[in-house]
Amino acid sequence: MVYNTKPADSWNTCLNTTLEQEDKEIYDLIEQEKYRQFSGLELIASENFTSQAVMEANGSCLTNKYSEGLPGARYYGGNEYIDEVENICRQRALKAFNLNPEEWGVNVQPYSGSTANFAAFTALIQPHDRIMGLDLPSGGHLTHGYQTSKKKISSSSIYFESMPYQVDNATGVIDYDRLEQNAALFRPKLVICGASAYAREWDYPRFRKIADQHGAYLMCDMAHISGLVAAQEASNPFEYCDIVTTTTHKTLRGPRAGIIFFRKKNDIESRVNQAVFPSCQGGPHNNTIAGIAVALKQAGSPEFKQYAKQVRANASKLAETLTNYGYKIVTNGTDNHLVLWDLRPQKLTGSKLEKLCDLCHITLNKNAVHGDVSAVTPGGVRIGASALTSRSFKEDDFVKVGEFLHRAVQIALAAQEKAGSKLIKDFVVALEGNDDLKALHKEVQEFAKSFPMPGFDIETIKTEF
Ligand code: PLP
């Protein structure tokens, strides 16, 4: 077949040029970000490195298509392939979590974890109904009802009445007894389990019991641990919950999006589907749904099971290494992919260690630890093993990561003393020209660059800008 190759109209020639030719500014920034990801130690617990195949699907022509509605019942024409993509994605989602399609359904259209959660609330409860989720300073997510005494922060606390539960200040483990007592007073319509910074297993039977005492729905937001759940490296929330939401880009290692799983009982299926569209969203992002489908195929492989096992082994090794240096790890260890590190015994804030680590190309985040009084200067940091495990890090490599972190703390403590003030800007000034920091930065980069990099060809990575 010979196609008509007449040139595009002049106002359309920009549609067939490469990014590098078309927009050097953005192209260069992407190249710099690529190099940053490759040459640093990525320890943010909510991040991962997705695969080349996922990125290809995500960057495909599927981004051009509108498809409001569900497969077979769209508000737009031309969806024969999009329907297949979404159906495959839905089937793979159920299969990845071993769910019987007679009992469970799934909506793969949420744009992100936050919108998945809000759609789930919209489906299950009415405005001003009462919800109970883990408090943000205890490790919960904003969308689980976060508010302060001064302000309702999350829309989940603006539109619903929120009474959080918390971890026990002495142990850092969820205080189930207090949750049960408070639930007896508050009588929630919805109880939410799942978190952003909680390193221990969830007692799903206990949550179910508490929800049942009040005829409440039980929802799990397994965003952080969904890859571990798929690999059966974490206990299974589906056995106990009515609804399970997740992001797709953390331990599950897909593109950035959200999914809602629901039990097919009463009319939950139609309520969830309606809540996603048209209540909360418009057209689904089909390129992302294709990327999720690819990630779910990968998550069903024996290699992914090995990956998830290694994530947990690496996180445990890091907790052990830091403990051996004399540091305090919240709950004294971890059951999953993350480690919460309490820096208060060192009299160092999470913000300062985060800043210092940024300067030497180790990426992690400051995080509140139980008993913290100020959310502005959290007392710890959160560290995750998922991304570096995607770069083939093993336990010994995490011992090295622990050593780098220990050095980072030593440098931070010396700079803090030199700064003579609590202010982060003085801390940064005190670090200027610091030779130990420069040496650490160099070693971190050399170490990071000795590992494979998922998703892109390291031979073509630009190293100079
Ligand atoms: N739920 C949990 C437990 C999370 O940790 C996060 C994000 O970190 C979200 C929901 C929100 O996901 P997104 O950033 O995709 O909206």
Side-chain angles (χ1 to χ4, degrees):
M1 173 80 189
V2 177
Y3 293 100
N4 178 355
T5 54
K6 77 173 179 186
D9 293 317
S10 59
W11 61 87
N12 279 336
T13 50
C14 67
L15 301 181
N16 286 81
T17 45
T18 64
L19 178 61
E20 186 176 13
Q21 292 161 340
E22 186 57 30
D23 191 337
K24 190 80 170 56
E25 206 178 354
I26 294 297
Y27 173 85
D28 281 348
L29 286 168
I30 293 174
E31 288 302 309
Q32 285 177 61
E33 171 60 15
K34 236 186 220 180
Y35 184 67
R36 190 196 67 80
Q37 291 185 11
F38 170 58
S39 59
L41 292 177
E42 184 52 74
L43 291 170
I44 293 195
S46 50
E47 293 184 9
N48 209 330
F49 296 116
T50 197
S51 65
Q52 182 178 339
V54 166
M55 286 200 278
E56 258 179 54
N58 214 27
S60 71
C61 68
L62 270 55
T63 195
N64 294 335
K65 193 71 199 91
Y66 248 112
S67 58
E68 283 176 359
L70 287 169
R74 304 286 192 185
Y75 289 84
Y76 286 78
N79 274 306
E80 57 271 36
Y81 303 114
I82 298 295
D83 277 4
E84 278 195 55
V85 168
E86 188 167 338
N87 278 332
I88 289 172
C89 188
R90 296 199 294 186
Q91 285 154 13
R92 288 183 186 168
L94 295 179
K95 191 157 172 246
F97 293 94
N98 253 319
L99 300 173
N100 176 354
E102 303 281 305
E103 290 171 23
W104 283 88
V106 62
N107 189 304
V108 295
Q109 296 188 2
Y111 303 141
S112 80
S114 306
T115 53
N117 286 346
F118 202 79
F121 301 156
T122 305
L124 295 179
I125 55 177
Q126 297 299 312
H128 298 293
D129 275 352
R130 297 175 205 151
I131 64 173
M132 294 185 86
L134 184 63
D135 209 7
L136 184 123
S138 282
H141 191 254
L142 276 167
T143 55
H144 300 177
Y146 185 56
Q147 60 191 13
T148 65
S149 42
K150 291 201 183 116
K151 198 169 173 199
K152 288 175 181 275
I153 309 279
S154 163
S155 58
S156 54
S157 67
I158 296 171
Y159 297 114
F160 306 102
E161 305 307 321
S162 165
M163 181 186 219
Y165 56 91
Q166 295 176 321
V167 295
D168 182 317
N169 266 352
T171 62
V173 174
I174 289 169
D175 189 341
Y176 289 95
D177 292 339
R178 231 172 101 216
L179 162 61
E180 187 163 356
Q181 286 159 13
N182 285 343
L185 296 171
F186 192 59
R187 300 192 187 97
K189 278 272 169 43
L190 174 69
V191 177
I192 307 157
C193 48
S196 297
Y198 189 65
R200 291 302 180 184
E201 261 301 352
W202 295 82
D203 187 349
Y204 297 117
R206 184 88 194 260
F207 275 107
R208 181 75 261 176
K209 186 177 150 232
I210 295 168
D212 283 346
Q213 285 165 355
H214 307 286
Y217 289 110
L218 180 60
M219 166 174 150
C220 175
D221 175 354
M222 61 169 185
H224 264 259
I225 54 168
S226 53
L228 305 182
V229 174
Q232 295 169 354
E233 285 294 318
S235 55
N236 184 359
F238 292 95
E239 279 178 40
Y240 297 95
C241 296
D242 303 297
I243 201 153
V244 177
T245 59
T246 185
T247 54
T248 48
H249 45 274
K250 299 187 172 88
T251 47
L252 199 54
R253 211 167 56 186
R256 315 191 70 76
I259 302 184
I260 306 175
F261 295 89
F262 46 84
R263 260 186 208 279
K264 285 184 170 171
K265 63 172 190 187
N266 306 327
D267 53 353
I268 296 187
E269 175 166 18
S270 60
R271 277 155 60 190
V272 168
N273 287 333
Q274 287 260 331
V276 174
F277 171 82
S279 299
C280 295
Q281 293 191 173
H285 294 177
N286 296 303
N287 52 322
T288 309
I289 291 174
I292 301 172
V294 175
L296 288 166
K297 182 177 180 201
Q298 293 174 336
S301 67
E303 291 78 12
F304 192 82
K305 168 99 187 145
Q306 277 176 296
Y307 162 72
K309 256 188 186 319
Q310 190 67 52
V311 167
R312 289 185 64 207
N314 287 347
S316 273
K317 185 50 105 181
L318 181 63
E320 182 192 313
T321 307
L322 293 173
T323 305
N324 289 343
Y325 279 114
Y327 296 114
K328 168 88 186 92
I329 299 302
V330 174
T331 74
N332 300 319
T334 177
D335 293 327
N336 56 30
H337 63 302
L338 71 83
V339 173
L340 252 188
W341 182 2
D342 186 351
L343 292 158
R344 292 171 302 185
Q346 278 66 45
K347 301 202 180 346
L348 190 64
T349 60
S351 319
K352 282 185 185 155
L353 187 59
E354 179 192 287
K355 184 75 209 168
L356 186 127
C357 284
D358 250 349
L359 294 172
C360 57
H361 220 150
I362 300 173
T363 321
L364 42 70
N365 24 36
K366 57 179 176 276
N367 211 96
V369 284
H370 56 94
D372 260 351
V373 279
S374 161
V376 187
T377 51
V381 290
R382 182 185 72 159
I383 307 176
S386 333
L388 290 185
T389 310
S390 294
R391 293 191 67 183
S392 302
F393 277 56
K394 307 282 181 337
E395 286 95 323
D396 285 352
D397 306 313
F398 268 86
V399 171
K400 185 80 186 157
V401 170
E403 185 205 313
F404 285 142
L405 290 169
H406 172 57
R407 281 168 61 188
V409 170
Q410 303 311 305
I411 298 168
L413 289 173
Q416 181 164 267
E417 201 172 318
K418 184 174 164 203
S421 101
K422 286 191 167 171
L423 298 176
I424 198 125
K425 70 173 176 35
D426 297 333
F427 176 72
V428 173
V429 171
L431 282 168
E432 275 167 17
N434 185 310
D435 287 336
D436 292 338
L437 180 62
K438 280 186 208 156
L440 180 58
H441 188 184
K442 187 160 176 281
E443 278 180 57
V444 163
Q445 288 205 315
E446 273 163 15
F447 185 63
K449 286 193 285 189
S450 68
F451 289 85
M453 187 64 210
F456 36 87
D457 174 12
I458 50 180
E459 299 300 321
T460 62
I461 288 182
K462 286 195 176 162
T463 53
E464 284 177 17
F465 302 95

